[in-house]
Amino acid sequence: MSAYLNNKKLLVLGGNALSIDIVKQANKMGVHTIVTDWNNVNDSPAKLYASEYWNISLLDYDTLISKIKESHIDGIITGFTDSYLLPYQYLCEKCNLPCYATKQQFELTLDKSLFKATCNKYNVPTVPEYSINGFDKNTISESNKVILKPVDNSGSRGICICDTPESFDNKLKYAQSFSAKKQVIIEQYMDCDDVSFEYKIQNGEVILSAICDREIYKTTEFGSITSRLIYPSKYINIYLQEVNQKVINMFHCMHLSDGVLFMQAFVKNNQFYFYEMGYRLSGGRHYIFTEHQNTTNACKELIQFALSGNMSEQQLSQVANPVFPDLCIQLSIICKSETINSIEGWEYITKLPQVIDATKYYKPGDSIGQQGTTASIFARLHLVCKDEEQYKTLLQDIQSNLQVYNNDKQNIIIRI
């Protein structure tokens, strides 16, 4: 990494647990890191890893802009939260610092309805959708379920499945309560395979860097969340042949110039149906595997962009390769929505040689969040194995040794 980044000042917007990756990576690059949000350090753990931190809200623009200029900040970055993207863009614009997207580009990708309309415009297939105005709730049944989503939220928050006409109105209100716009989309419920993608954009060149099969833990009443990501996807060849170029063309037409984004799609009868994207780092942290398998790392690249206006000194299209040589699996440890009394076996599993990264989001005394949302994920493990047999042995070892107990000494890990 170039020495010119040494001692440059990077402001990280938001200090949640995932943002620790950004701070640690920037620290390794010799960067002076500052984390800001309005939370105390207990709720903003990335602050504990930074060179310094500010207790200034991301929306307190006047105070932040003055502080950024006064402190001679060289770059601004944010990572994993949709609601931080527009403040990030605004602050970069007002402080004349590099930003990888325009306000209009972020707005288009943040709104599920606008995103789907853009996909349809460029012949990128999406999940079938019903018009909320003309929708007949009496068509809903166990065999004809629908899923309701707020157009402007992430992390599966506000998403619910509806399988009876009687429950529709209440579930519509529930989904609307998670939307700042009070807008909801109604989609056909897809019971099929799920695939996730990471794309990088460098100087207008769009590059597919990872594709994985996404195994889902589905709740009966609320939404669904990722239980495993498996790289490379079994659908990689058909995707590269039939869909990838359409997606690249769409992003070219959107005039994306730099950055990283993720997309998610269902696959049924070898047909892809996109339903989600984020113009930011994914909570799945694809970069852990891409760095291990092909030396590219979106977290590192966004830090470099924030401080220099350039994603990388190398041409990413020459090294990024979604066909990983190893079997790579991101495993989510999902727990019941209860209070944690104690945790056993964590140190043991983090020392296993196939575990290249282990991130824990909760500690004793914390309460696990809502089922069917990312808040119910206790930890994520990134595993690299030679083959399926080695993975099965490793999984048995993890399941036998990791325990998360509630106050009644019951293990609250949900075995999937």
Side-chain angles (χ1 to χ4, degrees):
M1 188 56 61
S2 295
Y4 74 86
L5 294 181
N6 283 342
N7 298 316
K8 290 241 179 186
K9 290 186 177 181
L10 179 69
L11 179 63
V12 182
L13 303 180
N16 62 23
L18 282 168
S19 293
I20 292 172
D21 278 11
I22 299 173
V23 176
K24 283 185 172 181
Q25 182 63 63
N27 289 342
K28 284 181 190 175
M29 294 161 71
V31 174
H32 181 95
T33 50
I34 305 166
V35 173
T36 190
D37 59 28
W38 58 270
N39 294 312
N40 63 44
V41 292
N42 293 328
D43 299 315
S44 188
K47 289 180 175 179
L48 299 174
Y49 295 83
S51 308
E52 61 177 290
Y53 64 83
W54 303 339
N55 292 324
I56 305 172
S57 166
L58 275 58
L59 299 179
D60 187 354
Y61 293 136
D62 290 342
T63 304
L64 266 184
I65 290 168
S66 294
K67 188 78 170 172
I68 288 166
K69 292 178 178 179
E70 172 191 312
S71 303
H72 303 290
I73 298 298
D74 297 295
I76 303 173
I77 192 171
T78 191
F80 304 89
T81 305
D82 280 349
S83 61
Y84 296 174
L85 293 175
L86 291 177
Y88 156 71
Q89 186 278 327
Y90 181 82
L91 290 167
C92 288
E93 180 182 310
K94 293 301 180 184
C95 298
N96 197 29
L97 294 171
C99 181
Y100 62 81
T102 66
K103 180 183 179 183
Q104 292 73 23
Q105 288 167 341
F106 277 135
E107 286 176 337
L108 191 154
T109 58
L110 286 167
D111 187 299
K112 292 179 175 64
S113 291
L114 292 176
F115 163 65
K116 290 185 70 176
T118 304
C119 286
N120 294 333
K121 179 179 179 181
Y122 295 104
N123 202 28
V124 174
T126 60
V127 174
E129 184 178 336
Y130 305 100
S131 169
I132 194 165
N133 294 325
F135 181 68
D136 181 3
K137 64 183 179 183
N138 293 311
T139 60
I140 300 171
S141 66
E142 179 63 34
S143 60
N144 188 36
K145 300 175 186 175
V146 297
I147 189 161
L148 293 87
K149 300 178 179 179
V151 298
D152 50 358
N153 213 321
S154 60
S156 299
R157 287 177 287 271
I159 294 178
C160 52
I161 300 164
C162 184
D163 58 6
T164 66
E166 294 77 18
S167 62
F168 177 78
D169 290 340
N170 284 337
K171 292 193 173 183
L172 178 61
K173 288 178 184 175
Y174 174 80
Q176 285 175 330
S177 72
F178 284 84
S179 170
K181 298 179 179 179
K182 300 303 175 187
Q183 294 176 13
V184 172
I185 59 174
I186 306 171
E187 292 179 341
Q188 179 182 321
Y189 178 74
M190 304 288 287
D191 190 10
C192 54
D193 288 346
D194 197 310
V195 180
S196 187
F197 312 82
E198 181 188 73
Y199 282 89
K200 296 176 181 182
I201 308 102
Q202 182 184 32
N203 298 323
E205 186 175 17
V206 183
I207 307 132
L208 177 64
S209 53
I211 171 172
C212 58
D213 294 321
R214 186 169 173 257
E215 291 191 356
I216 304 299
Y217 166 62
K218 297 178 180 178
T219 62
T220 55
E221 191 172 352
F222 299 101
S224 57
I225 53 171
T226 304
S227 59
R228 289 201 306 172
L229 297 178
I230 305 166
Y231 305 72
S233 167
K234 59 179 175 284
Y235 295 106
I236 188 166
N237 290 331
I238 191 169
Y239 182 79
L240 290 172
Q241 291 167 9
E242 298 185 9
V243 184
N244 185 48
Q245 194 54 50
K246 293 178 182 178
V247 172
I248 289 174
N249 178 60
M250 177 176 72
F251 292 140
H252 280 155
C253 291
M254 291 168 61
H255 306 293
L256 306 188
S257 59
D258 289 284
V260 62
L261 58 87
F262 67 90
M263 298 181 73
Q264 291 169 196
F266 293 114
V267 186
K268 191 171 186 178
N269 299 324
N270 286 331
Q271 298 294 313
F272 292 81
Y273 300 91
F274 286 94
Y275 66 91
E276 184 81 83
M277 81 159 287
Y279 199 179
R280 58 173 173 80
L281 293 171
S282 163
R285 302 159 79 213
H286 300 293
Y287 51 83
I288 291 174
F289 287 137
T290 59
E291 181 165 53
H292 190 274
Q293 298 289 294
N294 60 43
T295 74
T296 69
N297 181 323
C299 184
K300 187 184 298 183
E301 289 144 15
L302 288 182
I303 292 168
Q304 174 141 338
F305 180 85
L307 296 170
S308 70
N310 185 13
M311 290 278 287
S312 177
E313 295 170 359
Q314 60 182 347
Q315 189 175 348
L316 296 177
S317 60
Q318 298 301 308
V319 287
N321 184 356
V323 185
F324 293 176
D326 295 313
L327 173 64
C328 298
I329 296 174
Q330 185 241 91
L331 177 68
S332 295
I333 307 298
I334 301 170
C335 287
K336 299 174 185 176
S337 299
E338 298 186 31
T339 300
I340 299 171
N341 179 275
S342 61
I343 301 163
E344 292 183 4
W346 180 255
E347 295 300 323
Y348 170 81
I349 66 167
T350 59
K351 292 176 182 174
L352 295 170
Q354 295 85 11
V355 180
I356 66 166
D357 187 87
T359 302
K360 179 162 55 74
Y361 304 114
Y362 291 98
K363 62 185 183 302
D366 291 343
S367 295
I368 301 291
Q370 173 66 56
Q371 288 296 290
T373 74
T374 52
S376 65
I377 297 175
F378 165 78
R380 285 189 174 103
L381 308 176
H382 286 72
L383 318 172
V384 175
C385 300
K386 292 181 298 184
D387 51 34
E388 186 69 27
E389 284 305 308
Q390 187 182 50
Y391 168 68
K392 287 178 181 176
T393 302
L394 176 63
L395 181 61
Q396 237 178 4
D397 200 6
I398 292 168
Q399 290 176 335
S400 299
N401 287 282
L402 181 62
Q403 314 289 332
V404 180
Y405 293 112
N406 64 11
N407 291 329
D408 296 324
K409 302 299 180 185
Q410 295 172 327
N411 185 12
I412 60 172
I413 295 176
I414 296 173
R415 187 68 63 88
I416 299 170

